[in-house]
Amino acid sequence: MNTLPIFVKLENKPVLVVGGGTVALRKIQTLCKTGAKLTVVSHEICEEVQDLAQTYSIELIVGDYNKSLLPDKWLVIAATDDNALNRQVQADALAHKIFVNVVDDPEYCHFITPAIIDRSPIVVAISSGGEAPVLARLWKEKFESLMPQWTGKLASLAGSYRQRVKATITDFTSRRHFWERFFRGDIAAKAGQQDWDGVTQLIEQTLSADNQLAGSVFYVGIGNNNPENLTLKALQAMQLADLIVYDDKVSNEIIELTRKDSDKITPTQGAIVETIQSALDRGQIVVRLIHGCPEKSLESQQELQQATFNATKIQGICSGCLV
């Protein structure tokens, strides 16, 4: 990763765009959505940019670029068809320690504008680091089809409940469990049906109910240790976990796919059941990673025979066991 993905708040922040044609237009359209205070300088400014200036905070300067425009700017975009001018803008911005993007010239970019999927307040950005922007856009198309239009509305609704949830569920772990149920269960299903009255009703019911995910354990099969073979259910369980229990048969590539802030331990074989039970007593969600399939693994069978807890078994895809 040679660039750091960040989301920058630009509302009411001054941004300079050098160029007023169709290439600059795409950047200006995106920047308008952020609420930035735009200055656009160019000898020719296309009609679409002029139309945007009627609605958004855009100062149009018809004429030459001058480096005197740079002080106080947060970002600069060079989007002209004159490579020499674009690189002069880059050099001037560098001298002022201002981040600059030179369109279609990644070598001269201090930041890169990604392909964006906008389901505000949920925003997904996809970048190839300037190496293959068309490929990034192709992946954007794929992800667009996977992210329903109602995603943003559900996220905004969740935001309206944040303070109430925080006041009602004071324990951090229990609160995370609540949000897991919020976005993974019937509430999201109702949102998919555009039944927003039903969504609100389920939120109220879920908020007043005991957290049913707390104290759960999942035995997740990782198949043959190939991350690409993991089932969706396996990946979802791995993202739920407060505690990941595994052994040295589990690859680092699999561990990298688990929830980043979950605890990860490799107890001795004789202490696994006790470790899981202790976590369950604390109300945690536990995922036990099993090489192969939980139904066939001798280890999982022996552990569950000793245990007093009930485990949900989730199979991955492994040799001889396709699910």
Side-chain angles (χ1 to χ4, degrees), residues 36-148:
K37 294 175 61 177
L38 292 178
T39 298
V40 176
V41 58
S42 178
H43 281 289
E44 296 184 8
I45 297 177
C46 69
E47 184 176 344
E48 291 86 350
V49 173
Q50 294 180 45
D51 290 342
L52 286 171
Q54 301 301 314
T55 304
Y56 297 97
S57 177
I58 303 178
E59 177 188 4
L60 301 181
I61 300 176
V62 180
D64 291 333
Y65 155 79
N66 190 291
K67 63 182 179 181
S68 63
L69 295 170
L70 291 175
D72 86 350
K73 297 300 186 292
W74 284 55
L75 295 177
V76 175
I77 291 180
T80 77
D81 56 4
D82 184 337
N83 287 336
L85 175 57
N86 286 342
R87 294 179 181 181
Q88 182 60 53
V89 173
Q90 190 266 357
D92 293 343
L94 181 60
H96 284 79
K97 298 182 180 180
I98 302 171
F99 281 109
V100 63
N101 174 270
V102 179
V103 176
D104 291 332
D105 202 346
E107 181 181 352
Y108 286 85
C109 289
H110 301 144
F111 72 94
I112 295 170
T113 54
I116 295 172
I117 301 171
D118 188 358
R119 300 290 189 270
S120 294
I122 301 296
V123 178
V124 177
I126 304 168
S127 173
S128 66
E131 298 292 334
V134 172
L135 180 60
R137 288 197 294 271
L138 289 174
W139 275 107
K140 173 193 171 181
E141 293 174 10
K142 292 179 184 293
F143 289 129
E144 283 271 14
S145 65
L146 297 175
M147 186 172 289

Side-chain angles (χ1 to χ4, degrees), residues 83-246:
N83 287 336
L85 175 57
N86 286 342
R87 294 179 181 181
Q88 182 60 53
V89 173
Q90 190 266 357
D92 293 343
L94 181 60
H96 284 79
K97 298 182 180 180
I98 302 171
F99 281 109
V100 63
N101 174 270
V102 179
V103 176
D104 291 332
D105 202 346
E107 181 181 352
Y108 286 85
C109 289
H110 301 144
F111 72 94
I112 295 170
T113 54
I116 295 172
I117 301 171
D118 188 358
R119 300 290 189 270
S120 294
I122 301 296
V123 178
V124 177
I126 304 168
S127 173
S128 66
E131 298 292 334
V134 172
L135 180 60
R137 288 197 294 271
L138 289 174
W139 275 107
K140 173 193 171 181
E141 293 174 10
K142 292 179 184 293
F143 289 129
E144 283 271 14
S145 65
L146 297 175
M147 186 172 289
Q149 292 293 330
W150 50 260
T151 301
K153 186 171 182 178
L154 184 62
S156 295
L157 187 60
S160 70
Y161 273 89
R162 282 192 66 187
Q163 292 304 316
R164 182 177 165 193
V165 170
K166 190 173 182 179
T168 304
I169 307 174
T170 56
D171 176 69
F172 175 82
T173 298
S174 297
R175 193 160 60 242
R176 186 180 70 80
H177 294 167
F178 167 82
W179 288 118
E180 294 283 359
R181 295 176 65 195
F182 187 104
F183 291 114
R184 295 178 184 272
D186 294 339
I187 292 173
K190 287 287 186 183
Q193 298 166 7
Q194 300 295 301
D195 180 4
W196 295 103
D197 289 338
V199 168
T200 302
Q201 183 178 7
L202 282 173
I203 292 172
E204 295 292 341
Q205 292 174 357
T206 305
L207 188 56
S208 61
D210 291 334
N211 195 304
Q212 297 175 6
L213 275 179
S216 302
V217 58
F218 300 89
Y219 270 59
V220 175
I222 61 167
N224 58 1
N225 254 337
N226 185 344
E228 294 185 359
N229 288 342
L230 289 175
T231 63
L232 178 59
K233 285 186 176 181
L235 290 167
Q236 288 175 337
M238 289 159 63
Q239 287 300 312
L240 280 174
D242 300 302
L243 175 66
I244 302 290
V245 178
Y246 66 105

